[in-house]
Amino acid sequence: MIPRLRLAHTADLDAAELRRIRALLDDAFDGDFSDEDWEHGLGGTHVLVQDGDGLAAHGALVMRRVRHGGRWLRTGYVEAVAVRADVRRTGLGGRVMAELERVVDRAYDLGALSASDEGALLYTTRGWQCWPGQVHALSPDGIVRLPEEEGGLYVRGVLDPAGELVLDWRDGDVT
């Protein structure tokens, strides 16, 4: 069976589909995918790839606000990208990203994502740029620096690299 790609909003996914997505993410991240990580990937657009064995790949795109150069940018933030172990390195991650990038390019000012060292190659080969500057978040206590995100935040779009990025706050990002 040729893998079938589907685009769906979280609201269009039933409980069983959401359980299958979460199971794929838990397996792909070796149990290091938290409930907060899960929450971050909900409420937006999902790309699902199905093959003869079920859910083979997934990625989500949620809207965030990112301040750069004194302006808040409508940002398509990529979350929860995973490919089932038995079909990794077959192009499914690229298919998921191509669809997410299409949405970013047509509907947002900027694309952004946080990548692990293992995942970074997928994004850099697709033209995503590692953000070279400081990363901050707007927390309930004001703007705080997120040095752990620096070197792992990737953007799609033209930005002045001399500036800083300030991400909107969400649970789990600022402790």
Side-chain angles (χ1 to χ4, degrees):
M1 172 185 180
I2 296 173
R4 189 179 79 244
L5 186 138
R6 175 177 159 222
L7 192 67
H9 191 276
T10 301
D12 297 322
L13 301 172
D14 64 29
E17 288 177 300
L18 290 169
R19 284 192 299 274
R20 285 192 293 275
I21 294 167
R22 178 64 194 257
L24 172 69
L25 293 165
D26 286 338
D27 288 345
F29 287 92
D30 295 322
D32 192 26
F33 194 81
S34 71
D35 290 342
E36 289 165 337
D37 294 329
W38 173 244
E39 288 291 323
H40 295 168
L42 299 176
T45 302
H46 299 260
V47 174
L48 301 100
V49 178
Q50 301 279 343
D51 66 8
D53 293 324
L55 183 62
H58 172 269
L61 188 68
V62 297
M63 194 187 106
R64 296 189 70 185
R65 292 286 181 173
V66 174
R67 189 180 77 185
H68 177 70
R71 183 173 160 234
W72 286 98
L73 303 170
R74 190 178 58 256
T75 302
Y77 203 89
V78 175
E79 295 282 1
V81 175
V83 177
R84 201 176 62 226
D86 66 314
V87 290
R88 288 188 188 138
R89 309 273 185 258
T90 63
L92 295 183
R95 284 187 64 191
V96 167
M97 286 305 299
E99 190 63 14
L100 294 174
E101 291 161 357
R102 182 188 69 80
V103 176
V104 166
D105 293 347
R106 296 186 63 164
Y108 294 95
D109 299 318
L110 176 70
L113 58 85
S114 181
S116 65
D117 291 339
E118 299 82 31
L121 182 61
L122 171 64
Y123 309 119
T124 57
T125 59
R126 301 189 60 78
W128 290 76
Q129 301 291 315
C130 185
W131 178 251
Q134 291 185 1
V135 178
H136 297 80
L138 181 60
S139 80
D141 298 322
I143 294 176
V144 295
R145 188 166 176 195
L146 302 176
E148 67 280 1
E149 289 294 324
E150 294 170 5
L153 185 72
Y154 291 76
V155 295
R156 181 179 179 87
V158 179
L159 296 176
D160 176 3
E164 66 181 15
L165 294 182
V166 179
L167 306 172
D168 56 356
W169 181 81
R170 58 195 187 166
D171 289 336
D173 286 345
V174 181
T175 56

